[in-house]
Amino acid sequence: MSFRRIFAMAFKESLQALRDPSTALIAVILPMILLFLMGYAVSLDAKNIKFGIVNHSSSTNSKELVSSFVGAGFFDIKFSQTTAKFQKDMQNYELGGFLVIDENLGKFAFEIITDGSDPNTANLINQYATQIIKSWSKETFGVRNLDIQTRFWFNEKLSSRYFAIPGSIAVIMTLIGTLLTSLVVAREWEQGTMECLMSTPISNLEIILGKLIPYFALGMFSVLLCFIIAYFWYEVPFRGSLWVLLALSFIYMLPALCTGLLISTLAKSQFVAAQISILVGFLPAFLLSGYIFEISNMPEILQFMTYAIPARYFVSSLSNIFLVGDTYEIFIKDAICMLGIGFLLLGLVLKISKRSLD
């Protein structure tokens, strides 16, 4: 065994690793990003949950109960005299649940209504609210029988699969759209055919559109396949319109595919492009879209960053169309955001491609 040859080989491998930027990306940058994301964004604690209270009693005891909810620190409390407003807020994802307090001849009855489309938050709200009511009852009346009625809207079974499967479609579509197109232009550069392509009369926009169309078709096929599996295999309820789902998916493909094209145009290497597409496409869609972790529990700066992630809007639309139905107020808002990001990315691709041609 020669230590000299071992040292020479180690030195050569070190130089080769330093010359390859993708090695530094995987070995240094990616673990750091993941560490920051896991440390700051991943939180299973429930705090500042948007919660409503409808108090039909004017007694001192009921006001003390309301004060207990306000002082608990778990909820961001809203008040209303009727349940109609809170029903609308829950449909628009502006409220996680609400409590209805009734009193008749000194006997209290409570109804806790939660948004079952997010089973974890719904369970936490139920547990927190029930515990607060029990503590208040014990302090006010001593131990008595309580009449608490709990209902879970949109996901009566509280099945996490009903929430996870629609969200996973958004993550899958992000991976397919971003990863596939990220290899398209890079492959042309690696094989040396990009120069030949640019020597033809075809314009940049035509090149890009010609490359996008086949992947649009492939993406829509994947959406249909995911829907069939979700509905027939996992038996996830679908309460919206299939045509609306296809329209939203078609819109979402624009930012997803343009993200891949932008990466491919910048990277000009299939290997690097594939890694960057996972880093900037798949991981944000998985961690910061609201698919797994509640966005309202993230730090404010990460909440702000999620507005730039197209999957955030697609996850919201998918959860709504599967579990709630056709809520066009949400769909239109999400579609506008996805189109805005998509056209912005398309403009960047055209600008960068034009610069490369020069």
Side-chain angles (χ1 to χ4, degrees):
M1 185 173 67
S2 171
F3 287 101
R4 184 177 180 183
R5 289 196 295 270
I6 294 174
F7 175 78
M9 177 60 70
F11 185 70
K12 191 269 295 180
E13 288 295 329
S14 300
L15 289 178
Q16 189 172 1
L18 290 173
R19 284 196 294 264
D20 185 3
S22 62
T23 303
L25 184 70
I26 296 173
V28 181
I29 305 298
L30 185 58
M32 288 175 62
I33 292 175
L34 285 175
L35 189 62
F36 279 116
L37 286 176
M38 294 293 182
Y40 286 103
V42 179
S43 173
L44 299 179
D45 296 329
K47 54 185 179 182
N48 299 322
I49 301 171
K50 296 189 182 303
F51 189 74
I53 294 179
V54 180
N55 187 3
H56 293 306
S57 170
S58 59
S59 67
T60 304
N61 289 334
S62 68
K63 293 177 181 176
E64 290 177 352
L65 174 60
V66 172
S67 299
S68 299
F69 272 87
V70 173
F74 301 123
F75 302 113
D76 180 7
I77 303 289
K78 294 182 179 180
F79 298 96
S80 176
Q81 296 299 317
T82 64
T83 60
K85 180 181 183 305
F86 287 158
Q87 292 176 10
K88 189 70 176 178
D89 289 346
M90 282 183 62
Q91 288 180 343
N92 294 333
Y93 293 112
E94 296 174 356
L95 205 67
F98 60 92
L99 169 70
V100 181
I101 304 173
D102 280 313
E103 182 181 8
N104 186 15
L105 300 176
K107 182 179 180 181
F108 284 92
F110 308 101
E111 185 176 25
I112 302 169
I113 299 174
T114 58
D115 183 359
S117 62
D118 185 347
N120 292 330
T121 303
N123 267 325
L124 287 172
I125 291 174
N126 182 38
Q127 292 172 9
Y128 290 159
T130 302
Q131 188 59 42
I132 291 172
I133 293 172
K134 286 181 176 178
S135 298
W136 164 81
S137 175
K138 186 175 181 180
E139 292 176 359
T140 307
F141 306 109
V143 179
R144 289 190 177 184
N145 293 329
L146 295 178
D147 180 14
I148 302 176
Q149 302 174 21
T150 304
R151 296 167 56 196
F152 299 99
W153 285 2
F154 313 134
N155 183 0
E156 295 79 5
K157 297 180 180 178
L158 279 185
S159 171
S160 59
R161 178 174 291 174
Y162 288 1
F163 174 76
I165 296 297
S168 66
I169 294 176
V171 177
I172 293 169
M173 296 312 301
T174 302
L175 182 62
I176 291 175
T178 305
L179 188 59
L180 284 180
T181 49
S182 70
L183 305 177
V184 173
V185 180
R187 187 182 304 118
E188 300 281 359
W189 287 109
E190 281 191 349
Q191 295 177 349
T193 55
M194 180 56 77
E195 290 82 358
C196 299
L197 193 61
M198 288 190 294
S199 66
T200 64
I202 191 169
S203 66
N204 281 349
L205 181 60
E206 289 169 339
I207 293 174
I208 291 171
L209 291 179
K211 289 181 177 298
L212 283 180
I213 288 172
Y215 292 100
F216 259 109
L218 187 60
M220 295 307 296
F221 174 77
S222 299
V223 168
L224 276 176
L225 187 62
C226 290
F227 169 77
I228 291 172
I229 294 173
Y231 187 70
F232 291 102
W233 182 261
Y234 291 109
E235 298 181 343
V236 178
F238 184 75
R239 302 187 174 110
S241 165
L242 181 60
W243 293 110
V244 175
L245 171 65
L246 292 177
L248 290 168
S249 303
F250 187 85
I251 292 171
Y252 179 67
M253 292 308 298
L254 178 64
L257 294 176
C258 286
T259 301
L261 271 183
L262 181 62
I263 293 169
S264 186
T265 305
L266 291 170
K268 298 181 180 178
S269 163
Q270 292 186 73
F271 180 70
V272 177
Q275 293 179 76
I276 296 177
S277 67
I278 293 174
L279 187 65
V280 304
F282 174 73
L283 286 180
F286 188 76
L287 296 175
L288 301 177
S289 65
Y291 160 55
I292 292 182
F293 307 110
E294 187 70 28
I295 292 177
S296 60
N297 285 345
M298 299 177 186
E300 289 185 0
I301 186 170
L302 287 179
Q303 291 186 36
F304 181 76
M305 289 170 60
T306 60
Y307 288 108
I309 298 174
R312 169 194 172 127
Y313 309 104
F314 197 40
V315 167
S316 165
S317 293
L318 285 172
S319 298
N320 208 283
I321 198 169
F322 267 88
L323 300 178
V324 180
D326 291 334
T327 310
Y328 291 102
E329 294 176 5
I330 291 178
F331 297 158
I332 292 173
K333 182 184 68 175
D334 291 341
I336 291 173
C337 293
M338 289 188 288
L339 282 174
I341 297 173
F343 282 117
L344 177 64
L345 292 171
L346 183 61
L348 287 174
V349 172
L350 287 172
K351 186 175 181 179
I352 293 172
S353 299
K354 184 177 180 180
R355 188 181 302 169
S356 298
L357 283 173
D358 292 338

